[in-house]
């Protein structure tokens, strides 16, 4: 037997790949990964009952096997999460040796910080997955890398930047005349990482559109009144904080006569991207691309992109967006199933994962 045949026989005996069949995108992603690994998808049935409860039925033995559960987040993200949790728990109660979740986009990742009287929902989701029986997690481009600390299991946070960089080099003929743009100072590190590997310049958009003068005098920008009470000692008064206001929009860097490539990790509400594109057009950029890993593209995003100054939006297939592509031809997709299949193969064989992170910047 050749080494490949020995490997395939080994994987067919102990590797099982499940994917939720309630959404076509998960099934399609699972098929691509299984084909690259030379195995068949595991037999699993996931469906909604009449009362919208999720039911999972495993139709083959997983006792003592290494199970990989692939789940892409659909528009109904809460149903997708429950499917994932129930699939993992079903494998755990069926005595699987290990259960690895493959979530290219981690849900609720934007809610990873405390906001006013809100909550850190990402921590809750992580706890639920670990409690259900997950022993390992494969994901891609977490919104904040610190999310890995919410888990008490190994987390492999893969990067999509090599695929996006390859797209820039192969699909943008005159990319040497481009400049990498951060639409806000918060994404400047990611833009810098892209620019360094492409050997291009960088520009940063800072500030926000200013309100009209009539809006400035309507009382909304006035500081709150301070009420003094006898219960507070005069020496313990809290100093009055000045409201934080952003300066007018400025572009740090030269984009005149250049191709502008805006990079970010998530593109969902496209208002900020559309506003950034208009600003870049005013500054002389003649072509504008948007590169992002996760294309949520919710609500009216496709229509706004189609009517905007953006020439092309490039996202990966971590999230299904077939309907959005039909509404907006400017949206292009990059397939990242190859790196997911390689991660699964290496984890199953106990090989090092460092190969998948070669030449990857910390700020990607």
């Amino acid at each position: 037997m050749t080494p490949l045949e020995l490997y395939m026989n080994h994987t067919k005996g102990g590797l099982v790949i499940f994917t939720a069949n309630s959404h076509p995108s998960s099934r399609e992603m699972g098929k691509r990964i299984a084909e690259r690994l030379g195995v068949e998808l595991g037999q699993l049935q996931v469906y909604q009952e009449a009362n919208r409860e999720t039911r999972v039925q495993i139709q083959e033995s997983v006792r003592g096997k290494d199970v990989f559960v692939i789940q892409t987040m659909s528009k109904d993200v809460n149903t997708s999460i429950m499917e994932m949790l129930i699939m993992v728990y079903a494998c755990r109660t069926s005595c699987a040796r290990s259960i690895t979740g493959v979530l290219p986009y981690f849900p609720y990742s934007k809610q990873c910080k405390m906001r006013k009287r809100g909550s850190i929902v990402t921590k809750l989701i992580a706890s639920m997955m670990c409690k259900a029986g997950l022993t390992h997690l494969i994901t891609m481009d977490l919104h904040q890398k610190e999310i890995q600390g919410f888990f008490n299991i190994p987390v492999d946070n893969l990067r999509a930047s090599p695929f996006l960089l390859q797209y820039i080099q192969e699909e943008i003929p005159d990319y040497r005349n481009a400049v990498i743009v951060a639409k806000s100072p918060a994404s400047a590190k990611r833009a810098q990482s892209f620019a360094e590997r492409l050997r291009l310049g960088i520009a940063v958009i800072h500030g926000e559109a200013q309100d009209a003068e009539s809006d400035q005098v309507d009382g909304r920008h006035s500081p709150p009144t301070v009420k003094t009470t006898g219960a507070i000692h005069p020496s313990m008064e809290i100093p009055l904080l000045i409201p934080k206001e952003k300066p007018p929009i400025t572009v740090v860097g030269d984009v005149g006569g250049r191709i502008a490539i805006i990079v970010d990790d998530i593109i969902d509400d496209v208002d900020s991207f559309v506003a950034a594109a208009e600003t870049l057009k005013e500054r002389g950029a003649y072509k504008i691309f948007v590169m992002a890993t996760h294309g949520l593209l919710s609500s009216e995003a496709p229509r706004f992109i189609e009517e905007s100054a953006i020439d092309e939006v490039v996202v990966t297939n971590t999230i299904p967006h077939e309907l959005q592509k039909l509404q907006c031809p400017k949206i292009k997709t990059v397939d990242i199933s190859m790196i997911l299949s390689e991660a699964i193969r290496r984890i199953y064989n106990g090989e090092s994962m460092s190969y998948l992170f070669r030449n990857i910047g910390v700020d990607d």
Side-chain angles (χ1 to χ4, degrees), residues 173-347:
D174 48 348
Y175 82 93
R176 289 293 181 189
N177 187 37
V179 59
I180 306 299
V181 179
K183 69 178 180 65
S184 67
S187 55
K189 287 186 177 180
R190 179 183 297 270
Q192 182 181 0
S193 178
F194 272 64
E196 287 176 352
R197 278 180 286 174
L198 291 170
R199 297 182 180 179
L200 299 175
I202 183 175
V204 180
I205 300 176
H206 179 54
E208 64 181 8
Q210 299 296 291
D211 297 325
E213 290 184 6
S214 59
D215 295 332
Q216 300 288 340
V217 296
D218 63 357
R220 288 182 294 175
H221 294 271
S222 59
T225 57
V226 180
K227 295 182 179 180
T228 58
T229 60
I232 301 177
H233 193 275
S235 63
M236 298 177 61
E237 288 184 359
I238 299 174
L240 182 64
L241 298 178
I242 301 174
K244 185 171 67 174
E245 294 184 7
K246 290 186 178 180
I249 289 180
T250 56
V251 179
V252 182
D254 182 21
V255 296
R258 312 282 287 279
I259 298 172
I261 303 176
I262 304 173
V263 296
D264 213 334
D265 61 329
I266 299 174
I267 175 169
D268 185 8
D269 180 7
V270 298
D271 290 347
S272 59
F273 290 92
V274 171
E278 292 176 356
T279 301
L280 294 170
K281 276 287 185 184
E282 293 172 359
R283 300 302 194 278
Y286 72 91
K287 226 171 192 179
I288 299 170
F289 292 80
V290 175
M291 299 277 172
T293 303
H294 309 297
L296 276 68
L297 302 169
S298 304
S299 189
E300 296 293 315
R303 181 174 65 84
F304 293 151
I305 292 171
E306 187 66 25
E307 297 172 356
S308 72
I310 299 172
D311 293 282
E312 196 167 283
V313 173
V314 182
V315 292
T316 69
N317 57 343
T318 56
I319 297 175
H321 50 266
E322 290 78 10
L323 293 177
Q324 289 90 330
K325 289 179 70 175
L326 293 175
Q327 299 171 30
C328 178
K330 292 182 179 180
I331 301 172
K332 309 296 180 184
T333 307
V334 175
D335 181 27
I336 46 83
S337 61
M338 180 179 68
I339 193 171
L340 294 177
S341 60
E342 180 62 14
I344 291 172
R345 188 192 70 79
R346 286 177 174 272
I347 289 172

Side-chain angles (χ1 to χ4, degrees), residues 11-35:
T11 55
K12 287 179 180 177
L15 172 65
V16 180
I17 297 178
F18 286 134
T19 179
N21 55 10
S22 61
H23 196 279
S25 64
S26 276
R27 195 74 179 174
E28 180 63 28
M29 178 71 79
K31 284 181 179 178
R32 291 186 180 187
I33 292 173
E35 286 175 3

